[in-house]
Amino acid sequence: MRPEERGEYELTEVTSFTDRSGEPGDEGREIVVIDCRANAKGQREEDALLENGSQSNESDDISTDQSPEPPAPLKETSFSIGLQVVLPFLLAGFGTVAAGMVLDIVQHWTVFTEVTEVFILVPALLGLKGNLEMTLASRLSTAANIGQMDSAKDMWKMIVGNLALIQVQATVVGFLASIAAVIFGWIPEGNFRLGHAILLCASSVATAFIASLILGIIMIGVIIASRKVGINPDNVATPIAASLGDLITLSLLAGIKFNDYANPLVCAVFVALTPLWVLIARRIPSTREVLYSGWEPVIIAMAISSVGGLILDKTVSNPNFAGMAVFTPVINGVGGNLVAVQASRISTYLHMNGIPMGDPDPNPRKCPTPCTSFFGSNVNSRSARVLFLLVAPGHLVFLYTINSMQGGHTTLTSIFIAFYMAAALLQVLILLYLADWMVHWMWSRGMNPDNFSIPYLTALGDLLGTGFLALLNLIRIYICFTIGWVNPHYFQWGHSPLGQSHWQHL
């Protein structure tokens, strides 16, 4: 064999084979080499087509699914966050003040004095704004920020599906809250009353259903409007939900009047409507998932809030704990409002910038310390600092409003304000830290924080707020006995029929 023929078998020059295709004995080599060339060329063309197709698909996805502008939270400064949050925060705070004034008045009504289990319903039903409305606001805020509500068709799907979803959840949670109130009221007394149980069921279900429908519509309007004017919905939606949530819920609970014949009918009608809302919610993919998997946080949060309601039930009628009715909605509402804003912001941040939910993180995040949660350099730490700094001035404004309106028949003193502010600051500090840990933990476990985190956090805020207020009273009583005051019953939040000098001197 000639050297040049050996070189031909090395496939170093394809054209040499095509030039010599007419020579005898070269057909096998021609077929083999041409096949290799054709296969190689076809593979290169196929790879090029696939690459071009993937690039075009990626460009199409970018143009249709993602917003061309950078994520809004990354561009926010501490000043811009505070500027957007402060007005909704104050509105929400005044809403809780109004709710506290309403509760302070209606606590003396016949239904509240004869059926004291209604007080157990109060934190659970007020907590629905965190379980349902704030979760709805967080979910829709995230959808608006990532462009899922840009088209009219997608927006209406989200609206209809989410309204139907919260009606299902409101009916079920209202029914379960009434059962918890019956159980918590029956166990200590050992006396079960069927009429009281049916009244609690009818009041709870009707209040939850109507309040959720009204607040859901308001939330949708707020998110659409804020998006159009260039405001981050995460900063305004959840506080506005809370600003009207407590007042509407308490007004409905106190104002709805039923009788022995209407109570069973009301329960039956609202329960019968539940399958209709289920069918509507199942038709929307985004709400179908929540319909199946979103019950655990809502039910557990309701149970936690009911424990706070049990504390309220045992303290509101005690003369030593006067003022619980008017201050409980305020401290619970402020804590829940602020932590809901933080949780919603962190969730949106992860949706827009984080790795996919449930995927292993190449740089796993350690459990945060309070220093990293509040003094870090990222946008979430800045928002935590801003929200925490709003606690003291906000509560001072709300306390002054209550005092000027003579709510709770109390006279505020410096010692009470000091204890109250310490309790409020500690409550919010704990909640903001838990929000930082919980949202990231849920994200790493593949759980959407928009659906899971806020119910837990607001329920814990209700429990901490009610518990801290009760503890504040116990400390006051202990101080009274320690310095030798014989009858601390006269010293209720600084008010005394003997005069205010003793408590102010303390």
Side-chain angles (χ1 to χ4, degrees):
M1 183 177 293
R2 295 188 302 271
E4 58 270 22
E5 293 180 346
R6 290 195 300 270
E8 292 170 352
Y9 283 97
E10 295 176 359
L11 303 179
T12 56
E13 182 64 36
V14 177
T15 56
S16 63
F17 290 93
T18 57
D19 293 338
R20 300 179 56 186
S21 58
E23 295 184 6
D26 291 335
E27 292 81 6
R29 288 177 296 177
E30 180 184 359
I31 294 172
V32 172
V33 175
I34 289 176
D35 287 343
C36 292
R37 183 181 65 179
N39 290 339
K41 181 180 179 180
Q43 184 66 36
R44 288 194 299 270
E45 292 176 349
E46 182 179 2
D47 291 341
L49 289 174
L50 289 174
E51 183 177 0
N52 293 333
S54 63
Q55 291 176 354
S56 63
N57 291 336
E58 291 176 359
S59 63
D60 291 339
D61 292 340
I62 293 175
S63 62
T64 58
D65 294 339
Q66 296 183 4
S67 173
E69 297 182 1
L74 295 178
K75 300 169 63 176
E76 293 178 308
T77 63
S78 298
F79 178 77
S80 65
I81 294 172
L83 191 63
Q84 293 183 18
V85 171
V86 64
L87 181 59
F89 168 71
L90 291 176
L91 290 176
F94 286 121
T96 60
V97 170
M101 299 294 292
V102 170
L103 183 59
D104 185 51
I105 294 172
V106 302
Q107 67 173 323
H108 305 293
W109 289 10
T110 303
V111 65
F112 283 85
T113 56
E114 293 184 356
V115 188
T116 58
E117 294 88 349
V118 176
F119 287 109
I120 302 177
L121 286 177
V122 170
L125 292 180
L126 295 185
L128 283 180
K129 72 178 185 298
N131 298 345
L132 303 183
E133 283 77 30
M134 286 184 175
T135 303
L136 170 67
S138 177
R139 189 162 56 240
L140 292 182
S141 296
T142 299
N145 280 325
I146 64 179
Q148 292 182 356
M149 296 178 64
D150 290 344
S151 67
K153 182 179 179 181
D154 294 338
M155 181 181 68
W156 280 109
K157 282 184 177 181
M158 294 287 292
I159 290 173
V160 174
N162 279 279
L163 283 178
L165 174 65
I166 64 172
Q167 295 314 113
V168 177
Q169 293 178 323
T171 303
V172 174
V173 173
F175 181 74
L176 294 178
S178 65
I179 294 178
V182 171
I183 293 175
F184 286 150
W186 169 52
I187 291 178
E189 298 178 0
N191 185 16
F192 176 77
R193 299 178 182 178
L194 181 61
H196 287 187
I198 298 177
L199 173 63
L200 291 172
C201 178
S203 301
S204 179
V205 172
T207 300
F209 184 94
I210 298 173
S212 295
L213 179 61
I214 296 173
L215 291 172
I217 295 174
I218 294 174
M219 279 303 90
I220 292 170
V222 168
I223 291 172
I224 294 175
S226 62
R227 190 65 177 160
K228 288 184 177 180
V229 300
I231 296 176
N232 186 356
D234 286 313
N235 293 336
V236 299
T238 51
I240 291 179
S243 64
L244 297 175
D246 290 347
L247 182 59
I248 291 175
T249 302
L250 270 179
S251 300
L252 288 171
L253 181 62
I256 295 178
K257 303 297 182 182
F258 299 115
N259 53 50
D260 294 338
Y261 300 101
N263 293 340
L265 181 61
V266 170
C267 295
V269 168
F270 283 112
V271 172
L273 288 174
T274 303
L276 174 63
W277 310 125
V278 172
L279 291 176
I280 297 175
R282 286 183 59 185
R283 299 181 61 183
I284 311 300
S286 59
T287 55
R288 185 188 306 125
E289 178 186 356
V290 184
L291 183 64
Y292 294 142
S293 62
W295 292 103
E296 178 185 344
V298 173
I299 294 175
I300 294 178
M302 181 273 300
I304 296 173
S305 297
S306 296
V307 176
L310 182 62
I311 298 174
L312 180 64
D313 180 41
K314 299 302 179 184
T315 56
V316 72
S317 58
N318 191 329
N320 288 327
F321 294 85
M324 285 290 294
V326 70
F327 292 113
T328 295
V330 178
I331 191 171
N332 292 352
V334 170
N337 299 342
L338 293 177
V339 74
V341 171
Q342 181 70 353
S344 180
R345 290 179 56 86
I346 297 176
S347 180
T348 298
Y349 177 87
L350 293 174
H351 275 285
M352 300 177 74
N353 301 285
I355 61 175
M357 280 189 297
D359 286 4
D361 192 348
N363 299 313
R365 186 175 186 269
K366 298 180 180 180
C367 181
T369 63
C371 290
T372 58
S373 296
F374 290 94
F375 300 104
S377 58
N378 58 55
V379 65
N380 295 325
S381 297
R382 288 201 300 271
S383 62
R385 293 193 295 269
V386 171
L387 296 175
F388 183 75
L389 291 175
L390 290 175
V391 177
H395 271 296
L396 289 176
V397 172
F398 304 144
L399 289 177
Y400 174 78
T401 303
I402 293 174
N403 186 58
S404 62
M405 300 175 66
Q406 297 182 351
H409 309 289
T410 60
T411 300
L412 300 183
T413 60
S414 57
I415 189 65
F416 164 71
I417 294 176
F419 275 104
Y420 181 89
M421 296 301 299
L425 290 170
L426 181 61
Q427 176 207 30
V428 175
L429 186 71
I430 294 173
L431 290 176
L432 291 177
Y433 172 72
L434 287 177
D436 187 26
W437 168 80
M438 185 179 293
V439 172
H440 286 91
W441 180 85
M442 288 180 174
W443 184 270
S444 65
R445 295 299 187 275
M447 304 161 62
N448 189 350
D450 284 323
N451 300 328
F452 288 88
S453 62
I454 292 181
Y456 289 122
L457 292 169
T458 54
L460 288 172
D462 293 342
L463 181 60
L464 290 174
T466 308
F468 284 162
L469 278 181
L471 182 62
L472 178 61
N473 265 289
L474 292 177
I475 294 174
R476 177 188 60 81
I477 296 172
Y478 173 77
I479 293 176
C480 291
F481 278 111
T482 301
I483 64 176
W485 287 342
V486 180
N487 191 355
H489 296 273
Y490 291 117
F491 300 94
Q492 300 166 2
W493 303 95
H495 175 75
S496 170
L498 301 180
Q500 302 175 17
S501 58
H502 296 291
W503 187 240
Q504 291 173 345
H505 176 71
L506 175 63

